[in-house]
Amino acid sequence: MVKHTVTLIPGDGIGPEITTAMRRVVEATGVDIEWELADAGEHVMDECGTPLPEHVLDSIRKNKVAIKGPITTPIGTGFRSVNVAIRKALELYACVRPSVSIPGTGARYDDVDLVIVRENTEDLYAGVEFEQGTADVAELIAFAEERGAGTIRPDSGISLKPISVTGTERLVRFAFEYAIANGRERVTAVHKANILKYSDGLFLHTARRVAEEYADSGIEFDDYIVDATCMQLVLNPAPWDVLALPNLYGDIVSDLAAGLVGGLGIAPGANIGDEFAVFEPVHGSAPKYTGKDVVNPTAEILSSVLMLRHLDEPEAADRVFDAVRATLGSGERVTYDIKRTLTGSTEGSVGTAAYADAVIDNLG
Ligand code: NAP
């Protein structure tokens, strides 16, 4: 049996509870994993002076694979997103978020099987921002106006949206390679190129050019405007397959896609680069539920399924996925969010740890 060493980042809020549940389920499969604990997030600020100590990145660089809980990002002020910083520091350029219908979740649809492939390193998440009222903003506004690029109100804050040929090429290639490796049929590039000519326009032209390289791959290619994509996804999600999106649209559309299959509690994700991979749920740290042992650890557990496949442990991955399906399918030992969707009330739901017990029982 191969021994794996994986960096484990419990994170903030509900992170420690759901990563503990995930770890117990993975260990119950018998896969040999040594977890290297490396903590990051709001709660390490006081001790370490930074929410992302360098030893956390070093641990991932050494082990190549990490799984994490969510990390809090203060809104409007305070430190920048640790999640974004990890993705940028390790060039985890593709964020893969499958949305698959699982019976028993009470989701609106039972025929969804799509994958969001979100660009992870640029767009409005590049972190190139200028604060309202500063000399930098005044200079930027003067620069834009001098070049006839339109007028900007002087009391504006400005965030830049860089989209590059390099970033788009590797993202769209990743989407095609993923489609080929996973028996998918179609890649759709999602954009707003009708309005954002030089950023989304570049994304679209580059995606079309990369698609030509895959003309003989058997994978279809098309493109869609992001707002129309959202409406079509809500109306009829079944035909959608692999969606390749710039960072911000990918973030928003993946929450929408999670909603199609039962909510954030069951939506897993992976951040992949050429060298490293970091697995994490789509949802955040849900601070109001911290320490209450109520939230659904399925998204974290399904993120470990993606991790097990990445570690070339397909049998263990299938066992965990089937055990989650069986647990949700029975509708008995499920968490409040699923119970609420199924019955309109949280009565009769179980907690995070008891749900993990049920999944472990269903591993057989
Ligand atoms: P959130 O933490 O995802 O929570 C929003 C709501 O989604 C919760 O109130 C809950 O809804 C539901 N939910 C989320 N996770 C759930 C789970 N495991 N089981 C059941 N329901 C779940 O979003 P947020 O409140 O906007 O963000 C909180 C913090 O997380 C912010 O600081 C944000 O920046 C950060 N964040 C981190 C990541 C990451 O680490 N990758 C991702 C997104 C957000 P109900 O109360 O209706 O049940």
Side-chain angles (χ1 to χ4, degrees), residues 14 68-73 83 87 264-265 280-289 295-296 336-337 340:
I14 58 171
K68 64 182 279 293
I71 292 176
T72 299
T73 309
N83 309 300
R87 294 166 198 161
L264 284 173
E280 63 177 343
V282 173
H283 65 71
S285 56
K288 66 180 175 183
Y289 294 121
V295 295
N296 190 347
Y336 82 92
D337 52 326
R340 185 177 60 191

Side-chain angles (χ1 to χ4, degrees), residues 8 105 244 256 282 289:
L8 175 64
T105 57
L256 186 155
V282 173
Y289 294 121

Side-chain angles (χ1 to χ4, degrees), residues 22 70 121 142 168 201 211 250 299 328:
M22 174 279 299
T121 62
T168 308
L328 292 171

Side-chain angles (χ1 to χ4, degrees), residues 167-210:
T168 308
E169 273 180 352
R170 67 183 180 179
L171 188 267
V172 178
R173 279 203 187 101
F174 182 97
F176 271 98
E177 295 296 336
Y178 180 93
I180 293 166
N182 291 278
R184 297 275 171 172
E185 291 175 357
R186 180 163 68 117
V187 171
T188 305
V190 180
H191 58 88
K192 189 76 186 171
N194 51 331
I195 303 296
L196 301 164
K197 308 273 182 209
Y198 300 138
S199 48
D200 285 26
L202 186 64
F203 180 86
L204 177 59
H205 296 314
T206 308
R208 284 181 176 158
R209 189 165 42 70
V210 172

Side-chain angles (χ1 to χ4, degrees), residues 117-174:
V117 179
R118 161 189 174 192
E119 204 290 326
N120 240 353
T121 62
E122 50 185 23
D123 194 356
L124 281 161
Y125 285 66
V128 189
E129 298 201 286
F130 300 91
E131 195 175 353
Q132 183 260 325
T134 61
D136 285 348
V137 163
E139 224 175 290
L140 210 55
I141 291 173
F143 174 86
E145 290 184 354
E146 266 167 33
R147 279 156 183 79
T151 50
I152 302 171
R153 291 195 185 96
D155 56 353
S156 300
I158 298 180
S159 306
L160 296 189
K161 178 184 163 83
I163 291 204
S164 68
V165 172
T166 310
T168 308
E169 273 180 352
R170 67 183 180 179
L171 188 267
V172 178
R173 279 203 187 101
F174 182 97

